[in-house]
Amino acid sequence: MKNIKEEFISTLSHEIRTPLTSIKGFSQTMLSSWDKLDDEKKKEFLKIILNQSQRLINLVENVLNVAKIDSNSENLVLTKVSINQIMQSSINVISMTYKDFEFIFEKSQNELFSLCDMDKTQQILLNILDNAAKYSNNSKKILVKTYSQKDFNVFSIKNFGSYIDKKDYEKIFEKFSRLESYISSSVQGSGLGLYIVKNLIQKMNGKIEINSSKEENFCEFLVYLPNYEVEKITKNIGV
């Protein structure tokens, strides 16, 4: 049985090899057959090279993030952050990638604030929004909500084309974990994103939950971050 280090290297090697093979293959084809390719085919190949390069960059960034988390060297800068504003900003960013999707934002009526790291919080939201879109199958609608629940502010991100079995709720947050239904899909992934997401949320004294239904065919991720006032009071009294 492989130990954790061997499994890490094996998985990482496989994930790196795939985009590198694509980049090399399409680059060689363009160099050897440049005069035979029309402009549309050249543009198609360049888009593939660009996409695979971005995939490689994302993988390297994820590995660096995992290394920081595992070594407990991830430094967070906590500030007062508007929940509605950071969610709207994240939707604006992800909409540029998924232009044919409808992102419905039901924002809280009251202005909500959490004490959190703004950049890391957006990283969390973008990861979950990206997953919601990637695994939406034929559905092109993502429902997003923000609201307050007791001492927490909540981000809800819900798609209507995928389902996660309850027994896999915890497994999906494990390092390198990809569920059978996800593996069998055409979606590429390293299995590091949600591991990073959960750890960053926990470092900000929050939590993440999943709510999914096979009958209604939806999957909802719920991110809880402490209400700013509660978090501030807690820190002031040294709890």
Side-chain angles (χ1 to χ4, degrees), residues 102-129:
E102 180 184 12
F103 291 89
I104 303 167
F105 185 15
E106 296 180 2
K107 64 178 68 176
S108 64
Q109 294 301 308
N110 299 323
E111 191 64 71
L112 304 176
F113 297 93
S114 281
L115 188 64
C116 57
D117 185 300
M118 183 179 294
D119 291 338
K120 299 303 182 186
T121 301
Q122 184 162 67
Q123 178 184 342
I124 289 164
L125 296 177
L126 287 174
N127 188 293
I128 299 174
L129 284 165

Side-chain angles (χ1 to χ4, degrees), residues 47-58:
K47 283 183 178 178
I48 292 172
I49 292 171
L50 177 62
N51 289 336
Q52 292 301 308
S53 298
Q54 187 58 55
R55 180 185 172 192
L56 197 56
I57 290 169
N58 292 341

